[in-house]
């Protein structure tokens, strides 16, 4: 690997401004070693290590070394996926590995299905208010070279009528096969050495019995701190109003369109019979979800503790529907009709079975729960301890898996992530950020703020935030753990000269763009803003953490995971809640310094980080940076760049602020922990 990364190496010859970073070299060597020895590896690589190149180069080297090798890079966010596909991989192909073939691997529902588009067009399956969207899809279909949904902005309810659905795809028998862009992407994927995927698709692939993606022997999970939740989601079961409605409407929708209206040889008696079964399913579905909605009147999620908590006569109706469809198959006109009838019959049977398994709680080690999210209603079974499933079904099957992120370790150890993902034997490597946090970042924790949950905390929070914003005058990201508190604080702010942007007032991407454009803006966000957003430069000069991000303990999956730890003799607060909150705090902190010229302040308004016994565990996990004893001392760090970091730093010393290190006990010793 040295050939690539050393100062007069391959990268320095082709990448303007390239500087050797020892951490990047260490990571690439560790990844190369893991690939060579067929071991799993966990790497925490702080911001600025350059981890993408550090894993891509050894990975590409590995797959090109032997004919037929293929590897996957899986990300959590689309942003990173895009960066790999549009930037890093094309660069490496052009300048370093000319023979490399790579492809983006998306879930097939992201692709337009020409057969369904034609079918829908012929039947006018769209509701009147969907006509415009449908016309746009038709025009786009004429010219798209990818067929991928992200190219066109249409509502989901329209897209799902024309996208590929695996059980409805006719594959090689399809008359549109040669023109099908999904099939073309599959061929490209099979020829690729590197597939760029996402965690959702990766686990959908696992759940399908490895049938979704082409075979591969190695994988790098970037943004691996998100793996547990995504895996649990895909390895469980759910039954939703949306799934039921989609099935029923595909057979016969409220306008009398669907499979049934297309079948050419169904007599009136058979038509009547199946219509009555569909109506039965619809009625029972409506009453099931009405009951579920009533149970969820005061909750967004609800743990289901008893079997058959709602009477289930819907599974039987779905089974009857499946049988009726199979009878109908006998009168199918051709193979296309047979295939479609069979697919919908199997879907109906599978849905009924899912509902039965969930309501009768027939799966061990699963937590059963219900959720209401706006109009979306569903019942769910989620495995609460996925370590053993991942170990046996995934990590014992793949030769090498590399897990990387800027936030995997807690207390500088990997115990938590190893236990959660079943990776006890994996190698580990902890690489701090090469940025000079000491001169680039300052941390302030006020000592005159009451604890969250006590009387007066909210007033203190509002008061301190008001003070912070009067110093920063914008370019500040304020991170909350609850939308209710966010809204209260937002409305209490009295800062007419600043533009306050609040999560929920537009999509997150647009809010971040507005924030970047206006240096007098303040962005208020909850969990989706703690991670994944990248705001380099002066646009973000201060991050305020309003509360330590402990997950809500009575949320069903969380509660079940904690119960399981208690049963195994472990303290769930120490083994689960604290490490999880540390990882999220590190993510929030990590929003501040994105490049080596960035600088700014992080203010933590949760005094528990100073007063509670677990506080040092949080502080030890943050990058070593300067400590500001008083709020006024952050001023030198939140001013515009260009004044010279060193001078500001010295200025701070001269004012007697003191330079502590937010790394381990150094901070505590310097009196910040109180
Ligand atoms: S091959 Fe499958 S996805 Fe492609 S047009 Fe035909 S049915 Fe649709």
């Amino acid at each position: 690997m040295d050939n690539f990364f050393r100062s007069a190496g391959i990268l320095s010859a082709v990448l303007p401004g390239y500087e050797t970073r020892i951490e990047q070299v260490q990571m690439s060597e560790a990844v190369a070693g893991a690939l060579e020895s067929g071991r799993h590896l966990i790497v925490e690589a702080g911001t600025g290590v350059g981890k993408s190149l550090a894993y891509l180069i050894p990975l590409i080297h590995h797959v090109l070394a032997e004919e037929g090798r293929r590897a996957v890079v899986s990300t959590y966010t689309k942003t990173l996926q895009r960066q790999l596909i549009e930037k890093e991989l094309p660069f490496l192909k052009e300048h370093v590995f000319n023979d490399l073939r790579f492809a983006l691997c998306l879930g097939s529902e992201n692709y337009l299905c020409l057969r369904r588009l034609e079918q829908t067009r012929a039947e006018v399956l769209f509701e009147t208010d969907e006509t415009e969207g449908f016309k746009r899809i038709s025009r786009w279909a004429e010219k798209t070279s990818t067929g991928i949904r992200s190219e066109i902005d249409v509502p989901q309810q329209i897209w799902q009528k024309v996208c590929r659905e695996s059980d409805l795809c006719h594959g090689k028998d399809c008359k549109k096969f040669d023109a099908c862009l999904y099939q073309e992407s599959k061929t490209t994927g099979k020829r690729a050495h590197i597939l760029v995927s996402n965690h959702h698709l990766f686990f959908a692939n696992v759940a399908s019995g490895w049938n979704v993606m082409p075979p591969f022997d190695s994988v790098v999970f970037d943004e691996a701190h998100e793996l547990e939740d995504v895996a649990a989601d895909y390895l469980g079961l759910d039954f939703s109003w949306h799934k039921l409605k989609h099935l029923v409407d595909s057979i016969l929708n409220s306008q009398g369109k669907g499979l049934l209206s297309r079948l050419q040889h169904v007599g009136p008696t058979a038509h009547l019979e199946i219509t009555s079964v569909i109506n039965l399913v619809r009625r029972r579905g409506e009453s099931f979800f009405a009951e579920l909605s009533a149970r969820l009147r005061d909750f967004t999620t609800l743990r289901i503790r008893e079997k058959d908590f709602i009477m289930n006569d819907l599974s039987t109706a779905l089974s009857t529907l499946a049988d009726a469809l199979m009878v109908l198959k006998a009168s199918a006109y051709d193979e296309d009709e047979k295939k479609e009838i069979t697919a919908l019959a199997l879907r109906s049977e599978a849905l009924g079975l899912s509902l039965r398994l969930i309501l009768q709680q027939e799966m061990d080690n699963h937590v059963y729960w219900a959720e209401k999210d706006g109009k979306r209603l569903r019942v769910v079974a989620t495995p609460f301890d996925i370590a053993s499933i991942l170990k046996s079904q995934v990590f014992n099957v793949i030769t090498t898996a590399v897990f990387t992120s800027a936030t995997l370790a807690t207390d500088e150890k990997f115990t938590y992530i190893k236990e959660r993902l079943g990776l006890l034997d994996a190698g580990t490597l902890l690489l701090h950020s090469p940025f000079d946090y000491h001169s680039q970042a300052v941390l302030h924790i006020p000592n005159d703020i009451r604890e969250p949950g006590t009387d007066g905390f909210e007033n203190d929070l509002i008061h301190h935030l008001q003070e912070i914003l009067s110093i920063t005058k914008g370019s500040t990201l304020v991170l909350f753990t609850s939308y209710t508190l966010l809204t209260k604080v937002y409305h209490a702010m009295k800062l007419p000269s600043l533009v306050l942007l609040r999560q929920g007032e537009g999509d997150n991407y647009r809010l971040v763009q507005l924030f970047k454009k206006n240096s007098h803006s303040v962005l208020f966000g909850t969990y989706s803003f703690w991670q994944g957003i990248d705001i380099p430069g002066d646009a973000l000069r201060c991050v305020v953490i309003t509360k330590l991000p402990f997950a809500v303990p009575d949320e069903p999956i969380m509660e079940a995971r904690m119960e399981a730890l208690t049963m195994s003799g472990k303290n769930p607060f120490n083994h689960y809640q604290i490490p999880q909150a540390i990882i999220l705090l590190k993510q929030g902190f990590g929003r501040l310094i994105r490049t080596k010229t960035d600088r700014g302040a992080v203010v933590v308004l949760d005094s528990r980080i100073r007063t509670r016994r677990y506080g040092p565990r949080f502080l030890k996990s943050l990058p070593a940076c300067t400590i500001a004893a008083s709020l006024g001392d952050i001023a030198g760090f939140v001013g515009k760049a260009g004044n010279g970091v060193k001078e500001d730093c010295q200025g701070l010393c001269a004012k007697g602020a003191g330079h502590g290190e937010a790394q381990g006990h150094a901070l505590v010793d310097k009196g910040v922990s109180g």
Side-chain angles (χ1 to χ4, degrees), residues 113-115 164 168-171 174 176-177 180 182-183:
C113 171
L114 293 173
R115 188 185 66 78
R164 179 183 186 265
L168 294 179
C169 178
H170 292 191
C174 176
K176 303 280 181 189
F177 185 84
C180 176
Y182 165 72
Q183 297 296 347

Side-chain angles (χ1 to χ4, degrees), residues 449-458 460 547 605-612 614:
I449 187 163
R450 279 166 279 196
E451 276 199 3
T454 61
D455 283 348
F457 167 70
E458 288 181 12
D460 286 358
K547 269 168 91 171
L605 295 178
D606 188 332
S607 60
R608 292 174 297 180
I609 200 168
R610 295 189 319 107
T611 58
R612 296 296 181 101
Y614 52 74

Side-chain angles (χ1 to χ4, degrees), residues 378-398:
R378 60 179 192 145
V379 283
V380 192
T382 307
F384 53 76
D385 179 6
I386 57 157
S388 55
I389 305 176
L390 289 181
K391 190 168 184 227
S392 62
Q393 292 185 26
V394 185
F395 304 137
N396 282 352
V397 178
I398 296 168

Side-chain angles (χ1 to χ4, degrees), residues 108 111-117 162-166 168-183:
S108 69
Y111 287 87
L112 177 71
C113 171
L114 293 173
R115 188 185 66 78
R116 292 187 75 209
L117 176 67
V162 296
C163 67
R164 179 183 186 265
E165 292 195 340
S166 54
L168 294 179
C169 178
H170 292 191
K172 285 200 172 71
D173 298 331
C174 176
K175 295 180 185 79
K176 303 280 181 189
F177 185 84
D178 290 340
C180 176
L181 291 166
Y182 165 72
Q183 297 296 347

Side-chain angles (χ1 to χ4, degrees), residues 545-566:
I545 308 282
T546 53
K547 269 168 91 171
L548 293 179
F550 288 112
V552 184
D554 55 3
E555 191 270 329
I557 301 176
M558 195 65 50
E559 190 180 54
R561 286 175 182 165
M562 288 165 61
E563 284 169 7
L565 284 165
T566 306

Side-chain angles (χ1 to χ4, degrees), residues 437-444 623-628 637 649 652 657-662 667:
Y437 274 85
H438 201 68
S439 63
Q440 289 183 255
V442 65
L443 172 67
H444 175 62
C625 64
T626 296
I627 299 300
F637 280 80
C649 198
L652 192 60
H659 280 195
E661 285 193 324
L667 179 68

